[in-house]
Amino acid sequence: MPLGTGRVRRGGRVVRFPPMSRRDEFIDHLQQVSLFSACSRKDLQLVAKRAEDVHVPAGKVLVSEGETGHEFFVIISGAASVTRHGQKIATLGPGDAFGELALLEKAPRNATVVADTEMELVVLGQREFAGIIDEVPGFARKMLAGMAKRLREADLKSVH
C-alpha cells in the first residue's frame, strides 16, 4: 500500500495535514523544489491541502529502485540515504524533496531511499496531484516551467 493512502503502513504513522503553521512550513519547503518553482504561494497552498504528514521510523524503505512510483516526498525532519545500483549517491535532509517524477509519469523509480533516522515527511500522491492539475487552469504550465528548470540544472551538472 502506498504511503499516501492515508493509512498506517508498517510502523509509519500517517496524519492528516497539520495546522496552518506547519502547512506554512511545508509551503516554504515546496517553494525550494524545482518542480514547483514557477508556482505561486496560492498554488502551493492547494498542494499542501492535499498532502499528508507522515512519520516513519529509521530503517524504513521509502522508495525502491525499479518499483513504480506513486508519491512525491518533502523531508520536514530527519535524514535519508539514496542508493542507485547498491551504491550510495546522496544523503537527504530537511527541505530536500524526492519522487516528483512519479507525479508526472508512471515509471520505475531510479533510486532507493531509506530513512537513516526517524523522519517526518510530507507526501503528495499521484491521484491528489492529478486532481490539482484538473482543477487549476495554468497549474500544468507552471509544472512544465518547473520541470524545464530542473532539466536545465541537471544538464549543467552533467557537463564537465
Side-chain angles (χ1 to χ4, degrees), residues 94-113:
D96 288 329
F98 59 96
E100 62 269 30
L101 294 178
L103 298 178
L104 303 171
E105 175 184 40
K106 289 184 182 180
R109 300 278 192 186
N110 61 13
T112 295
V113 181

Side-chain angles (χ1 to χ4, degrees), residues 10-87:
R10 285 185 263 157
R13 182 167 55 92
V14 176
V15 182
R16 280 284 147 224
F17 209 87
M20 190 57 80
S21 62
R22 295 292 286 148
R23 188 174 294 156
D24 286 344
E25 180 181 345
F26 175 51
I27 291 167
D28 292 342
H29 286 298
L30 277 181
Q31 287 179 317
Q32 304 307 309
V33 176
S34 293
L35 182 64
F36 297 112
S37 62
C39 293
S40 69
R41 194 156 183 90
K42 183 178 177 182
D43 294 332
L44 297 178
Q45 287 170 345
L46 183 58
V47 172
K49 185 177 179 183
R50 303 253 177 138
E52 293 177 327
D53 194 26
V54 178
H55 296 261
V56 298
K60 174 78 174 161
V61 176
L62 302 169
V63 301
S64 295
E65 184 175 4
E67 290 185 4
T68 301
H70 302 282
E71 300 132 340
F72 162 69
F73 303 82
V74 177
I75 299 172
I76 301 299
S77 65
S81 291
V82 181
T83 60
R84 185 173 293 139
H85 307 299
Q87 297 293 316

